[in-house]
Amino acid sequence: MRKFDPKRHRLPIFNSDGILLVDKPATWTSFDVVNFVRARFNIPKVGHCGTLDPAATGLLVLVLGKFTRISNSLSGVDKIYTGSLKLGIETDSQDMDGNIIRECDPSAVTEEALHETVMSFMGKSMQVPPMVSALKKDGKKLYELAREGVEIEREARPIEVYDIKVDRVALPDCDFTVHCSKGTYVRTIASDIGSKLGCGAVLTGLRRIASGKFSIEDAVSVDTLKTFEQAQLKEYVEKFLYEKALKIAAEAARK
C-alpha cells in the first residue's frame, strides 16, 4: 500500500487539532477507522486511544494533530461496555470469531447462579489475557502466533472491575454492563464466568459506551463521516468537543 502523502490529496491539509469520537461499526478494525479518517479528510496525524476488536462496536476515541501526543494518557482510562454472552460454548478466541473448542449442556445453570457468578467479578483481580490478542511476545503479536497454531504461557495482569451488572437473562444467553480498568478483556471475563459455572461461555456481542469522560452519545457514525466535508469535521471537533478536549489534554499533561 502506498504511504499516505497529504500533499497529494485533492483537499488542503486539515489543520485543526482535537479529539474525534467515532461509533465504530462491526467488522471494521480500529486502524480501519483511523485510516479512513486520515485519508477522507487529509489529516497527516491521526491516532486512536484504545483498540476495539473488529467484531465489537462503539466508542473509539481518535486524536487529531497535536493531540496524538497525549494518546497514551487518553488510552489509560477506565471503560464501560455492554456485552452479551452465551453459556455452553467455548471458542479459542473467547468470542464468536474463533473456532468452537468445547460445547456443554448449560441447562443446570440457574438465573440466580448466573447473577451471583457475574457479581463475583467485582473488584481487583488477576486476568490472563487471551491468546488471540494484540499483546506481543518477542516482538510478535499473540494472535499471529495463534494463527500458526502456537500457544504460549501468558502472565496474569492486574485488572479492576468497578461495576458489573446483569441487564437481561434468557438462558443460555445473558446481557450485562461492565465498568472496568484499562487492559481488561471483556471476552475473558465472559469466558471466566462460564468456567466458574462449569459449562463454559463465549462473548457474543460487545459495545463500548464510554471511555473515561467521553460517551458514545457524543460520537459520530462512520456513515455520517462519509457525508462530512472538511468544514463540517472542523466544526464538530472545535465547537462540540474542543473545550472538553483541552481540559482533558491539560489533565493528561499534569500526570
Side-chain angles (χ1 to χ4, degrees):
M1 181 181 294
R2 187 173 66 185
K3 185 177 180 181
F4 173 69
D5 182 357
K7 294 180 181 179
R8 298 172 62 94
H9 206 285
R10 64 178 179 84
L11 296 175
I13 292 175
F14 186 87
N15 56 12
S16 291
D17 307 310
I19 293 174
L20 172 64
L21 305 184
V22 179
D23 187 346
K24 188 190 85 66
T27 73
W28 283 50
T29 68
S30 300
F31 286 107
D32 286 340
V33 178
V34 167
N35 291 335
F36 164 73
V37 170
R38 180 191 292 122
R40 173 74 176 80
F41 298 102
N42 196 18
I43 310 174
K45 290 185 177 180
V46 183
H48 72 78
C49 306
T51 303
L52 276 173
D53 289 337
T57 66
L59 183 61
L60 190 66
V61 179
L62 300 191
V63 280
L64 314 180
K66 294 178 181 178
F67 275 71
T68 55
R69 299 171 185 171
I70 62 166
S71 60
N72 287 338
S73 297
L74 296 180
S75 298
V77 297
D78 53 309
K79 315 289 195 304
I80 302 177
Y81 300 89
T82 57
S84 300
L85 63 81
K86 181 180 288 291
L87 300 175
I89 301 175
E90 292 181 358
T91 71
D92 55 7
S93 64
Q94 301 177 339
D95 61 16
M96 295 305 292
D97 285 342
N99 300 310
I100 295 176
I101 56 176
R102 177 174 174 254
E103 293 187 73
C104 180
D105 181 6
S107 59
V109 176
T110 64
E111 185 170 336
E112 181 181 6
L114 177 58
H115 273 272
E116 290 178 356
T117 302
V118 170
M119 294 304 298
S120 73
F121 283 82
M122 280 276 289
K124 296 180 179 180
S125 64
M126 300 296 290
Q127 184 185 73
V128 177
M131 189 65 203
V132 180
S133 67
L135 297 177
K136 292 184 178 181
K137 174 69 173 180
D138 299 328
K140 197 163 188 178
K141 292 178 179 178
L142 294 188
Y143 70 76
E144 294 174 337
L145 295 172
R147 288 172 182 169
E148 297 170 3
V150 177
E151 182 165 353
I152 63 170
E153 187 174 347
R154 285 95 64 202
E155 291 186 6
R157 306 188 305 171
I159 65 164
E160 184 168 3
V161 173
Y162 306 107
D163 190 25
I164 188 168
K165 62 178 182 178
V166 174
D167 299 317
R168 182 187 71 93
V169 175
L171 292 171
D173 298 294
C174 169
D175 297 338
F176 61 94
T177 300
V178 58
H179 179 191
C180 55
S181 60
K182 172 199 174 183
T184 302
Y185 285 91
V186 180
R187 50 194 163 103
T188 299
I189 291 178
S191 178
D192 289 346
I193 288 171
S195 295
K196 204 166 184 179
L197 287 167
C199 62
V202 64
L203 189 73
T204 56
L206 185 67
R207 180 167 177 78
R208 183 190 288 162
I209 59 173
S211 179
K213 296 183 178 181
F214 293 120
S215 168
I216 189 64
E217 294 176 358
D218 292 321
V220 60
S221 70
V222 167
D223 284 342
T224 298
L225 284 174
K226 289 177 180 178
T227 70
F228 272 18
E229 300 296 334
Q230 273 189 334
Q232 290 171 284
L233 181 64
K234 182 180 179 71
E235 180 183 20
Y236 174 87
V237 171
E238 294 185 353
K239 181 177 179 181
F240 297 105
L241 288 174
Y242 198 61
E243 288 186 10
K244 182 183 286 188
L246 283 177
K247 183 178 179 180
I248 290 174
E251 291 176 352
R254 289 195 295 267
K255 293 181 180 180

